[in-house]
Amino acid sequence: MRKTNYIFGLFCASILAVSCSDDSVSEEFDEANGDVVQKLIKTVALNSSENMEDEGMLEFSYTADGALSSVSNGEGSRDFLYDGDELVNVTGEEDVNLSIEELYESPYDAFETGNVLEYDANGNPKIIEFFEEDYDWETDSYLSYVYTAEVSYDEAQNPFFYTLEAGGIIDVLDGIQLNFSMSPQSSEIIKARMLFPVNNPSKIVYKNEDGEVKHTITASYVYDADNYATSGVISSSSDGDPDASYTVQFTYVE
């Protein structure tokens, strides 16, 4: 069930970045995508013909007022607690951790721990620098190396945006000031703000410090008339050799 943990780790988990906009997440999303129909995700289903452990489903539940109340993977859930309209806490199983690289079955965690070196024209993280440990046989120890993740995006909105907005996460990220004023701010929330993609990631290429490609992930999505992802095939390769492929399907609240 590792890949059933998609987004929460990314949006609720660097401090320095290059060319980061002073716009809020909401402003960047609107500028990149225009007038988008608001849709809330109901389920995300993952299927693999190769490994049953790669299969699973995320289910999103909402209150009568449309606020996100919980996200469940069938074994545990994350519950959203509010004071009026304001998100005050998220409780429950930490395994429902929801990061991009969990969905994409990545061996790395650049979207959780990395520093953004470059953004694209829409404000998406384009090049992310992160540290990776490799075993050194000569010293019989693990050494830390600088890796990079180069990310490409479809010209489609991040399908989770309005679901996260319904959970109060976007309000939290919109409150982050990236001009680094004197006001104290959580470094984890700042990192989440900087790593937030307003478009849907379609490819991630990981390179070691010598510029050699170590791992590649490609996502090919089908979109509906409103440009929301409805299904996709995600495949990966390590050192040039294919190693995994599975499908993902989205349904939305009607």
Side-chain angles (χ1 to χ4, degrees), residues 180-205:
F180 303 103
S181 64
M182 295 303 293
S183 301
Q185 300 176 114
S186 165
S187 61
E188 291 183 348
I189 301 300
I190 293 174
K191 185 182 293 291
R193 163 66 182 90
M194 288 183 165
L195 289 166
F196 188 95
V198 295
N199 294 119
N200 199 22
S202 59
K203 188 173 185 178
I204 308 175
V205 178

mmCIF file of all heavy atoms in Angstrom, residues 180-205:
data_model
loop_
_atom_site.group_PDB
_atom_site.id
_atom_site.type_symbol
_atom_site.label_atom_id
_atom_site.label_comp_id
_atom_site.label_asym_id
_atom_site.label_seq_id
_atom_site.Cartn_x
_atom_site.Cartn_y
_atom_site.Cartn_z
ATOM 1 N N PHE A 180 10.432 36.355 3.608
ATOM 2 C CA PHE A 180 11.217 36.087 4.806
ATOM 3 C C PHE A 180 11.240 37.288 5.739
ATOM 4 O O PHE A 180 12.292 37.810 6.095
ATOM 5 C CB PHE A 180 12.643 35.641 4.457
ATOM 6 C CG PHE A 180 12.651 34.431 3.587
ATOM 7 C CD1 PHE A 180 12.895 34.533 2.234
ATOM 8 C CD2 PHE A 180 12.354 33.191 4.120
ATOM 9 C CE1 PHE A 180 12.869 33.416 1.431
ATOM 10 C CE2 PHE A 180 12.334 32.064 3.313
ATOM 11 C CZ PHE A 180 12.583 32.186 1.973
ATOM 12 N N SER A 181 10.051 37.743 6.107
ATOM 13 C CA SER A 181 9.910 38.830 7.058
ATOM 14 C C SER A 181 10.335 38.341 8.431
ATOM 15 O O SER A 181 10.690 37.188 8.636
ATOM 16 C CB SER A 181 8.450 39.293 7.100
ATOM 17 O OG SER A 181 7.618 38.255 7.590
ATOM 18 N N MET A 182 10.269 39.223 9.406
ATOM 19 C CA MET A 182 10.690 38.868 10.752
ATOM 20 C C MET A 182 9.691 37.964 11.458
ATOM 21 O O MET A 182 9.981 37.410 12.508
ATOM 22 C CB MET A 182 10.921 40.139 11.578
ATOM 23 C CG MET A 182 12.077 40.989 11.065
ATOM 24 S SD MET A 182 13.633 40.078 11.010
ATOM 25 C CE MET A 182 13.907 39.831 12.760
ATOM 26 N N SER A 183 8.496 37.816 10.901
ATOM 27 C CA SER A 183 7.478 36.982 11.538
ATOM 28 C C SER A 183 7.925 35.527 11.514
ATOM 29 O O SER A 183 8.312 35.013 10.460
ATOM 30 C CB SER A 183 6.141 37.130 10.809
ATOM 31 O OG SER A 183 5.716 38.479 10.814
ATOM 32 N N PRO A 184 7.891 34.832 12.650
ATOM 33 C CA PRO A 184 8.310 33.422 12.676
ATOM 34 C C PRO A 184 7.344 32.550 11.886
ATOM 35 O O PRO A 184 6.132 32.699 11.980
ATOM 36 C CB PRO A 184 8.281 33.078 14.174
ATOM 37 C CG PRO A 184 7.316 34.054 14.771
ATOM 38 C CD PRO A 184 7.458 35.320 13.971
ATOM 39 N N GLN A 185 7.896 31.627 11.094
ATOM 40 C CA GLN A 185 7.085 30.733 10.287
ATOM 41 C C GLN A 185 7.702 29.341 10.323
ATOM 42 O O GLN A 185 8.916 29.195 10.393
ATOM 43 C CB GLN A 185 6.997 31.231 8.836
ATOM 44 C CG GLN A 185 6.388 32.615 8.714
ATOM 45 C CD GLN A 185 6.410 33.118 7.280
ATOM 46 O OE1 GLN A 185 5.378 33.294 6.655
ATOM 47 N NE2 GLN A 185 7.578 33.368 6.754
ATOM 48 N N SER A 186 6.858 28.318 10.274
ATOM 49 C CA SER A 186 7.330 26.949 10.311
ATOM 50 C C SER A 186 8.156 26.643 9.067
ATOM 51 O O SER A 186 7.722 26.862 7.938
ATOM 52 C CB SER A 186 6.134 25.998 10.378
ATOM 53 O OG SER A 186 6.533 24.673 10.083
ATOM 54 N N SER A 187 9.370 26.102 9.281
ATOM 55 C CA SER A 187 10.225 25.765 8.138
ATOM 56 C C SER A 187 9.595 24.664 7.297
ATOM 57 O O SER A 187 9.767 24.630 6.070
ATOM 58 C CB SER A 187 11.614 25.334 8.623
ATOM 59 O OG SER A 187 11.526 24.184 9.448
ATOM 60 N N GLU A 188 8.849 23.737 7.926
ATOM 61 C CA GLU A 188 8.199 22.671 7.173
ATOM 62 C C GLU A 188 7.109 23.226 6.269
ATOM 63 O O GLU A 188 6.939 22.774 5.130
ATOM 64 C CB GLU A 188 7.613 21.639 8.134
ATOM 65 C CG GLU A 188 8.680 20.838 8.872
ATOM 66 C CD GLU A 188 8.073 19.770 9.761
ATOM 67 O OE1 GLU A 188 6.835 19.814 9.969
ATOM 68 O OE2 GLU A 188 8.810 18.905 10.235
ATOM 69 N N ILE A 189 6.345 24.193 6.764
ATOM 70 C CA ILE A 189 5.283 24.780 5.950
ATOM 71 C C ILE A 189 5.881 25.627 4.837
ATOM 72 O O ILE A 189 5.375 25.654 3.707
ATOM 73 C CB ILE A 189 4.322 25.623 6.817
ATOM 74 C CG1 ILE A 189 3.689 24.750 7.903
ATOM 75 C CG2 ILE A 189 3.229 26.229 5.949
ATOM 76 C CD1 ILE A 189 2.887 23.596 7.373
ATOM 77 N N ILE A 190 6.969 26.334 5.108
ATOM 78 C CA ILE A 190 7.647 27.094 4.058
ATOM 79 C C ILE A 190 8.121 26.153 2.956
ATOM 80 O O ILE A 190 7.979 26.431 1.762
ATOM 81 C CB ILE A 190 8.833 27.891 4.634
ATOM 82 C CG1 ILE A 190 8.331 28.996 5.571
ATOM 83 C CG2 ILE A 190 9.673 28.501 3.506
ATOM 84 C CD1 ILE A 190 9.433 29.736 6.297
ATOM 85 N N LYS A 191 8.692 25.011 3.358
ATOM 86 C CA LYS A 191 9.154 24.034 2.366
ATOM 87 C C LYS A 191 7.991 23.522 1.522
ATOM 88 O O LYS A 191 8.087 23.416 0.299
ATOM 89 C CB LYS A 191 9.862 22.868 3.057
ATOM 90 C CG LYS A 191 10.474 21.864 2.085
ATOM 91 C CD LYS A 191 11.121 20.710 2.819
ATOM 92 C CE LYS A 191 12.315 21.165 3.601
ATOM 93 N NZ LYS A 191 13.431 21.570 2.694
ATOM 94 N N ALA A 192 6.874 23.206 2.177
ATOM 95 C CA ALA A 192 5.705 22.726 1.455
ATOM 96 C C ALA A 192 5.211 23.777 0.477
ATOM 97 O O ALA A 192 4.802 23.461 -0.641
ATOM 98 C CB ALA A 192 4.602 22.361 2.437
ATOM 99 N N ARG A 193 5.241 25.044 0.901
ATOM 100 C CA ARG A 193 4.820 26.139 0.016
ATOM 101 C C ARG A 193 5.726 26.218 -1.213
ATOM 102 O O ARG A 193 5.269 26.359 -2.340
ATOM 103 C CB ARG A 193 4.852 27.457 0.812
ATOM 104 C CG ARG A 193 4.834 28.727 -0.043
ATOM 105 C CD ARG A 193 3.519 28.869 -0.789
ATOM 106 N NE ARG A 193 3.512 30.049 -1.623
ATOM 107 C CZ ARG A 193 3.912 30.077 -2.885
ATOM 108 N NH1 ARG A 193 4.367 28.985 -3.476
ATOM 109 N NH2 ARG A 193 3.856 31.205 -3.571
ATOM 110 N N MET A 194 7.018 26.129 -1.006
ATOM 111 C CA MET A 194 7.963 26.259 -2.114
ATOM 112 C C MET A 194 7.896 25.081 -3.080
ATOM 113 O O MET A 194 8.173 25.228 -4.268
ATOM 114 C CB MET A 194 9.382 26.405 -1.569
ATOM 115 C CG MET A 194 9.645 27.747 -0.923
ATOM 116 S SD MET A 194 11.357 27.902 -0.373
ATOM 117 C CE MET A 194 11.438 29.673 -0.102
ATOM 118 N N LEU A 195 7.552 23.907 -2.561
ATOM 119 C CA LEU A 195 7.527 22.705 -3.396
ATOM 120 C C LEU A 195 6.165 22.426 -4.002
ATOM 121 O O LEU A 195 5.974 21.408 -4.669
ATOM 122 C CB LEU A 195 7.979 21.503 -2.559
ATOM 123 C CG LEU A 195 9.462 21.479 -2.185
ATOM 124 C CD1 LEU A 195 9.738 20.472 -1.090
ATOM 125 C CD2 LEU A 195 10.318 21.191 -3.402
ATOM 126 N N PHE A 196 5.200 23.316 -3.804
ATOM 127 C CA PHE A 196 3.836 23.068 -4.274
ATOM 128 C C PHE A 196 3.737 23.234 -5.790
ATOM 129 O O PHE A 196 4.060 24.287 -6.326
ATOM 130 C CB PHE A 196 2.873 24.047 -3.598
ATOM 131 C CG PHE A 196 1.426 23.741 -3.879
ATOM 132 C CD1 PHE A 196 0.682 22.977 -3.004
ATOM 133 C CD2 PHE A 196 0.802 24.204 -5.040
ATOM 134 C CE1 PHE A 196 -0.644 22.680 -3.267
ATOM 135 C CE2 PHE A 196 -0.516 23.911 -5.313
ATOM 136 C CZ PHE A 196 -1.240 23.146 -4.421
ATOM 137 N N PRO A 197 3.261 22.209 -6.522
ATOM 138 C CA PRO A 197 3.063 22.326 -7.970
ATOM 139 C C PRO A 197 1.638 22.760 -8.304
ATOM 140 O O PRO A 197 0.677 22.185 -7.797
ATOM 141 C CB PRO A 197 3.322 20.906 -8.486
ATOM 142 C CG PRO A 197 2.892 20.027 -7.343
ATOM 143 C CD PRO A 197 3.095 20.811 -6.061
ATOM 144 N N VAL A 198 1.502 23.761 -9.156
ATOM 145 C CA VAL A 198 0.165 24.198 -9.560
ATOM 146 C C VAL A 198 -0.324 23.420 -10.775
ATOM 147 O O VAL A 198 -1.511 23.450 -11.108
ATOM 148 C CB VAL A 198 0.125 25.715 -9.846
ATOM 149 C CG1 VAL A 198 0.397 26.497 -8.569
ATOM 150 C CG2 VAL A 198 1.120 26.108 -10.935
ATOM 151 N N ASN A 199 0.596 22.722 -11.460
ATOM 152 C CA ASN A 199 0.228 21.855 -12.574
ATOM 153 C C ASN A 199 0.476 20.397 -12.210
ATOM 154 O O ASN A 199 1.015 20.093 -11.151
ATOM 155 C CB ASN A 199 1.010 22.229 -13.835
ATOM 156 C CG ASN A 199 0.647 23.605 -14.366
ATOM 157 O OD1 ASN A 199 1.493 24.486 -14.443
ATOM 158 N ND2 ASN A 199 -0.610 23.799 -14.725
ATOM 159 N N ASN A 200 0.069 19.491 -13.093
ATOM 160 C CA ASN A 200 0.156 18.060 -12.816
ATOM 161 C C ASN A 200 1.505 17.505 -13.299
ATOM 162 O O ASN A 200 1.794 17.545 -14.496
ATOM 163 C CB ASN A 200 -0.993 17.328 -13.519
ATOM 164 C CG ASN A 200 -1.253 15.967 -12.929
ATOM 165 O OD1 ASN A 200 -0.906 15.689 -11.793
ATOM 166 N ND2 ASN A 200 -1.879 15.092 -13.712
ATOM 167 N N PRO A 201 2.340 16.974 -12.403
ATOM 168 C CA PRO A 201 3.643 16.445 -12.819
ATOM 169 C C PRO A 201 3.504 15.285 -13.802
ATOM 170 O O PRO A 201 2.672 14.400 -13.625
ATOM 171 C CB PRO A 201 4.266 15.954 -11.498
ATOM 172 C CG PRO A 201 3.555 16.718 -10.431
ATOM 173 C CD PRO A 201 2.148 16.886 -10.942
ATOM 174 N N SER A 202 4.332 15.300 -14.842
ATOM 175 C CA SER A 202 4.268 14.247 -15.858
ATOM 176 C C SER A 202 5.574 13.475 -16.005
ATOM 177 O O SER A 202 5.578 12.374 -16.563
ATOM 178 C CB SER A 202 3.896 14.843 -17.218
ATOM 179 O OG SER A 202 4.844 15.818 -17.614
ATOM 180 N N LYS A 203 6.672 14.043 -15.482
ATOM 181 C CA LYS A 203 7.945 13.331 -15.601
ATOM 182 C C LYS A 203 8.913 13.845 -14.543
ATOM 183 O O LYS A 203 8.972 15.055 -14.288
ATOM 184 C CB LYS A 203 8.552 13.520 -16.991
ATOM 185 C CG LYS A 203 9.786 12.660 -17.266
ATOM 186 C CD LYS A 203 10.229 12.788 -18.722
ATOM 187 C CE LYS A 203 11.387 11.846 -19.032
ATOM 188 N NZ LYS A 203 11.795 11.924 -20.455
ATOM 189 N N ILE A 204 9.642 12.923 -13.922
ATOM 190 C CA ILE A 204 10.688 13.276 -12.967
ATOM 191 C C ILE A 204 11.952 12.515 -13.346
ATOM 192 O O ILE A 204 11.926 11.289 -13.449
ATOM 193 C CB ILE A 204 10.295 12.940 -11.517
ATOM 194 C CG1 ILE A 204 8.934 13.536 -11.152
ATOM 195 C CG2 ILE A 204 11.360 13.468 -10.556
ATOM 196 C CD1 ILE A 204 8.436 13.133 -9.769
ATOM 197 N N VAL A 205 13.037 13.250 -13.551
ATOM 198 C CA VAL A 205 14.325 12.638 -13.883
ATOM 199 C C VAL A 205 15.294 12.938 -12.740
ATOM 200 O O VAL A 205 15.584 14.098 -12.441
ATOM 201 C CB VAL A 205 14.889 13.182 -15.208
ATOM 202 C CG1 VAL A 205 16.252 12.554 -15.501
ATOM 203 C CG2 VAL A 205 13.920 12.920 -16.355
#
